[in-house]
Amino acid sequence: MPHFPFPMTARRWALSAVLLGVGLGDIHAITDTGTNAPGDGIPDGLNDVWQNFFDGWGLAPLADEDGDGISNVAESIAGTNPKDPNDGVKVSQVEMVGESIVFSFVAERTKKYRILSSSTPGASGWTPVEGSTFLSPLDHQLSTIAIPRLPVLADHFFRLEVEENDADADGVADWAEWRRGTDSDTLAEVTGEFSLDPADQPIFAESFTHGSRFQSDRMVAQNGFISSPPGENWAQITYFFDDPPDVRDGDIVVYWGFKSVAAAGPEESKFYMYLNFTDVPVLTYPEPARVALNVRPGTWGVLYCDPGWQLPNDPNLFVEPPFATFPNPQVVEKFCMIVHWAGGDSVTVTPAIWNRTAGLWQPFTLRDEPQLGPAVMNLSIATHLFGNTVFKSLFFQAYDTYPELDSVLVTVRPTP
């Protein structure tokens, strides 16, 4: 029987996290490696989705932000936090279990890991251990790779390698797609809830089945919904786009749904949806340029644009759906909003509600003048959107604990 030295000593084992490629020029990330700022800037070789998730804009690729010995570009490939020295690709434990050697480490969802071996700890001569490849199904979970004991006749060394994975070969890594909600599992779950236009191209989806991709302020995701805890008013969630869509490139369509209790009254049951066109923090006053639909179950809603609450150039449309909403607290009512660039300085916003009886999207009408047909808000890019055509973030806010937000989907619908 081959002899395996035990206990393992530092002299006999070199356990380290080694990323594919040693220098920046050797790294071939398959995610957007674009820029040093959201959606624009100078290419920096870092994954934009990763930068957006960890607020890592402006980091130098070869620097080590948290001093953990792993470069920023390596952390980008690994999907780990560049600002947390305790978060990195590190072997936390090695055990002898029967005829196996078991390596323990924290794995990130969709990243591909494997063990390599060598008789020397140099930079060359590393050989992948057959059967050691592991594709993580969970996010940031303690995981293991077990390999057979080797017939070691001399010192032997191992290292853990991680690389991005692109299962559908579309040039965007699976980790980035999952963070955006455009992975196949999330899209299958969310798009099935809405009747999409054939031209819709999803850029963000959230089902709240496994927590939330939004940044949350006092909102809690559970049972496939997100809502305010008891006693909380104006709780909110925000999603910032790493590659913000521009209305000049196609219609921006936001789909969402929520359930509520109409008997609680329109104020307690209302839910706000905002599209933010500036980088100004959401709670800054005057409020940033944002388009919003305030839906109040059982009564009318308000479609408006806020460059500051009730300023003279604040257009409001009091709108109402063509039928009573939220008749059943167990039913999710679905909405969509289309933001369309009409050319020049003009942008139009059209909200609609899903008519469950007819099985189609039905436009809202004006509360006081329903005979005029669909409610459409006309905006000036210069006046109402402060000259912005890029949609920076998506923001939801609940007045009370009654509304529960269901799936959210954002698409871009290219114009002919």
Side-chain angles (χ1 to χ4, degrees), residues 263-302:
E267 286 297 313
E268 287 76 7
S269 300
K270 66 185 177 183
F271 222 112
Y272 290 79
M273 190 283 297
Y274 302 93
L275 314 182
N276 295 318
F277 283 83
T278 70
D279 288 324
V280 179
V282 171
L283 296 181
T284 298
Y285 184 85
E287 293 165 342
R290 64 187 188 187
V291 176
L293 179 62
N294 164 4
V295 177
R296 307 179 183 214
T299 184
W300 45 268
V302 185

Side-chain angles (χ1 to χ4, degrees), residues 28-351:
H28 302 285
I30 51 179
T31 306
D32 174 13
T33 57
T35 59
N36 59 4
D40 55 18
I42 302 170
D44 57 12
L46 296 175
N47 181 327
D48 281 6
V49 178
W50 172 84
Q51 288 178 292
N52 192 58
F53 183 73
F54 289 113
D55 191 22
W57 300 108
L59 295 180
L62 297 182
D64 180 6
E65 184 73 10
D66 52 13
D68 61 358
I70 304 174
S71 69
N72 293 329
V73 71
E75 299 228 37
S76 171
I77 292 175
T80 53
N81 190 343
K83 300 179 180 180
D84 182 356
N86 296 313
D87 186 21
V89 184
K90 301 175 182 178
V91 177
S92 59
Q93 185 174 337
V94 181
E95 295 180 285
M96 302 290 296
V97 180
E99 294 299 313
S100 299
I101 312 168
V102 180
F103 301 84
S104 299
F105 58 97
V106 174
E108 304 300 331
R109 186 183 177 103
T110 76
K111 298 294 183 179
K112 186 184 293 184
Y113 302 84
R114 67 178 178 178
I115 301 296
L116 288 82
S117 68
S118 176
S119 59
T120 60
S124 61
W126 291 95
T127 302
V129 176
E130 185 176 355
S132 69
T133 299
F134 171 72
L135 187 64
S136 177
L138 300 174
D139 183 43
H140 202 68
Q141 295 293 317
L142 183 64
S143 305
T144 60
I145 293 178
I147 65 173
R149 289 191 184 187
L150 302 177
V152 178
L153 301 178
D155 290 350
H156 220 84
F157 301 84
F158 293 92
R159 69 182 184 185
L160 176 66
E161 179 184 81
V162 59
E163 64 177 338
E164 293 181 325
N165 194 52
D166 183 11
D168 56 9
D170 64 351
V172 180
D174 295 346
W175 185 89
E177 296 217 41
W178 178 69
R179 285 295 176 194
R180 286 176 169 173
T182 54
D183 59 287
S184 58
D185 290 341
T186 302
L187 285 181
E189 182 178 4
V190 174
T191 57
E193 297 190 27
F194 303 102
S195 181
L196 305 185
D197 186 282
D200 280 344
Q201 299 177 1
I203 59 172
F204 172 73
E206 177 60 271
S207 66
F208 302 111
T209 301
H210 305 288
S212 176
R213 295 170 177 85
F214 285 85
Q215 294 183 15
S216 176
D217 175 7
R218 295 166 294 136
M219 296 194 83
V220 179
Q222 56 186 0
N223 302 320
F225 294 87
I226 193 165
S227 58
S228 305
E232 289 285 359
N233 288 339
W234 303 115
Q236 58 202 28
I237 53 173
T238 308
Y239 182 81
F240 296 92
F241 289 87
D242 57 277
D243 186 14
D246 192 315
V247 296
R248 295 169 299 181
D249 295 332
D251 293 348
I252 296 171
V253 188
V254 182
Y255 298 89
W256 76 102
F258 71 98
K259 64 179 182 179
S260 193
V261 182
E267 286 297 313
E268 287 76 7
S269 300
K270 66 185 177 183
F271 222 112
Y272 290 79
M273 190 283 297
Y274 302 93
L275 314 182
N276 295 318
F277 283 83
T278 70
D279 288 324
V280 179
V282 171
L283 296 181
T284 298
Y285 184 85
E287 293 165 342
R290 64 187 188 187
V291 176
L293 179 62
N294 164 4
V295 177
R296 307 179 183 214
T299 184
W300 45 268
V302 185
L303 175 67
Y304 58 95
C305 180
D306 260 344
W309 180 246
Q310 293 182 345
L311 292 180
N313 61 344
D314 184 8
N316 287 310
L317 288 180
F318 292 91
V319 298
E320 61 183 354
F323 51 89
T325 56
F326 300 91
N328 185 332
Q330 301 305 313
V331 173
V332 173
E333 301 289 350
K334 303 173 185 178
F335 306 88
C336 77
M337 176 186 287
I338 302 173
V339 183
H340 170 73
W341 180 50
D345 184 55
S346 179
V347 167
T348 63
V349 181
T350 306

